[in-house]
Amino acid sequence: MTRAAVLAGGVGAARFLDGLVRVLPPEDVTAIVNVGDDMEWAGLHISPDLDTVSYTLAGLVNPETGWGLIGESRRTLDRLSQLGGPDWFMIGDLDLATHLYRTHRLSQGDPLSAITGDLTARLGLQCAITPVTDDRLRTVVGTDSGELAFQDYFVRRRAADRVHSLRFDGADSARPAPTVVKTLEQADVIVIAPSNPFLSIDPLLSVPGLRDLVVSYRSRVVAVSPIVGGAAVKGPAAEILQSLGHDVSALGVARLYADLAGVFVLDEADKLLASRIEGETQMRVVVMPTLMTDVGAKMSLAEGTLKAALNAD
Ligand code: FO1
């Protein structure tokens, strides 16, 4: 039996998890998900990464975007736009039900983790998905245009601003959600998913105690590089590596994870970096194809990542 905990952001992590639950019994998999991207939209609480992971694992995600629901329509958003309401964030008519449900439950005092558990059970998922914290945690992006709320930076302004700092509002007083510490303690393998290190993994680890906990389990932590051939598979990770003064490569990511992970999964395209990463970071580097182009590729990456962490052939 191998129990896996996955530190997860949005689309990249969701795809990785989709492979993982096909190579391990899903009950042995827990996704610990970033909530720094959460926001209030038209009075509703939106948790994009929780929904991206849940919808993907339920086979309901929109394959073109990697987020939102398949077969979505936007009549409500169009009507909201006519009324002069916020229309820059694409909340589809079907997706809206999730936000109504979640916001209603939150207003009744239920914690986000319990609501997430109920939503994922309704979706028929057997793996566990938990927000990293039930407390308010928000990524704030420092740019040349001033500080921006995460989705303002990411969606409204299309991640076009140069990022010079990041902070996680609420992190100081945030507590890990009820199952998070135990999940990490009991995991045989902790995977840092191929997510953005700054926008997805850092906010998770900003919850007091979690970074130290992961560091203390370093020998069973494996990180999958989200940078392949010097470019991010999706999103602004390369631009942020550059603007924050890091090497724009898998080596730059490996340096960020050196104290956290004992093993680093590197794409074949970057294999020439392997010995340098090993020398500089004392991580064991395992090279494999990491692009999750179809279900088979997702499963191979998940299986290879587990084997790398467990040091098996
Ligand atoms: N991403 C976009 O680029 N544009 C959108 O309008 C948008 C809407 C949206 C609605 C619900 C949801 O769960 C996710 C949504 N996303 C959208 C994705 C989201 O902003 C990001 O992918 C994550 O926050 C980053 O992990």
Side-chain angles (χ1 to χ4, degrees):
M1 177 182 173
T2 302
R3 280 162 302 192
V6 180
L7 305 184
V11 177
R15 291 185 175 148
F16 180 84
L17 282 156
D18 194 28
L20 191 61
V21 296
R22 295 166 197 266
V23 300
L24 283 183
E27 314 85 66
D28 297 337
V29 174
T30 301
I32 300 172
V33 181
N34 174 39
V35 291
D37 298 14
D38 286 20
M39 71 160 171
E40 280 68 44
W41 175 87
L44 299 177
H45 180 107
I46 317 285
S47 294
D49 287 353
L50 284 170
D51 290 342
T52 297
V53 169
S54 309
Y55 292 166
T56 300
L57 294 181
L60 297 174
V61 82
N62 179 339
E64 276 152 38
T65 53
W67 48 266
L69 286 162
I70 197 161
E72 192 56 278
S73 51
R74 46 175 295 154
R75 294 189 67 197
T76 305
L77 193 71
D78 289 344
R79 182 74 188 141
L80 188 66
S81 180
Q82 283 167 17
L83 297 176
D87 59 1
W88 54 270
F89 199 68
M90 167 48 198
I91 295 293
D93 296 336
L94 302 174
D95 190 26
L96 185 59
T98 304
H99 314 311
L100 289 169
Y101 177 85
R102 178 185 287 120
T103 307
H104 176 59
R105 292 275 309 265
L106 285 169
S107 75
Q108 293 181 317
D110 292 329
L112 184 61
S113 55
I115 302 166
T116 304
D118 291 342
L119 278 168
T120 52
R122 288 279 174 171
L123 289 172
L125 301 183
Q126 284 160 326
C127 65
I129 299 176
T130 178
V132 64
T133 179
D134 283 329
D135 298 321
R136 190 178 183 285
L137 176 67
R138 294 287 185 277
T139 299
V140 180
V141 186
T143 73
D144 293 340
S145 318
E147 285 202 322
L148 300 172
F150 177 80
Q151 298 294 351
D152 268 346
Y153 156 77
F154 195 78
V155 174
R156 194 178 204 162
R157 298 169 67 94
R158 299 169 195 274
D161 297 273
R162 195 176 149 270
V163 175
H164 52 67
S165 63
L166 289 156
R167 65 180 178 86
F168 308 113
D169 203 29
D172 291 351
S173 54
R175 293 149 302 170
T179 60
V180 167
V181 169
K182 201 169 168 196
T183 296
L184 291 170
E185 282 170 356
Q186 294 183 344
D188 302 294
V189 177
I190 298 170
V191 181
I192 301 178
S195 296
N196 187 309
F198 305 104
L199 303 179
S200 300
I201 305 301
D202 266 2
L204 274 166
L205 296 175
S206 72
V207 174
L210 293 190
R211 179 177 285 275
D212 289 347
L213 199 60
V214 174
V215 168
S216 74
Y217 294 136
R218 184 180 185 273
S219 60
R220 37 186 147 116
V221 180
V222 53
V224 183
S225 178
I227 295 281
V228 174
V233 177
K234 197 172 194 306
E239 289 79 0
I240 300 179
L241 277 166
Q242 175 155 47
S243 67
L244 295 182
H246 301 279
D247 206 82
V248 186
S249 68
L251 172 65
V253 175
R255 285 178 181 143
L256 296 171
Y257 289 155
D259 62 333
L260 293 165
V263 183
F264 191 70
V265 172
L266 184 69
D267 191 83
E268 280 178 333
D270 296 315
K271 64 181 176 209
L272 294 179
L273 291 173
S275 59
R276 184 147 173 225
I277 293 174
E278 289 199 328
E280 274 196 35
T281 66
Q282 271 71 58
M283 286 195 270
R284 187 157 48 80
V285 174
V286 181
V287 177
M288 66 186 83
T290 65
L291 294 180
M292 296 178 279
T293 43
D294 56 25
V295 174
K298 291 179 197 170
M299 290 171 69
S300 302
L301 177 61
E303 199 165 17
T305 301
L306 289 176
K307 279 186 179 163
L310 297 167
N311 206 2
D313 292 322

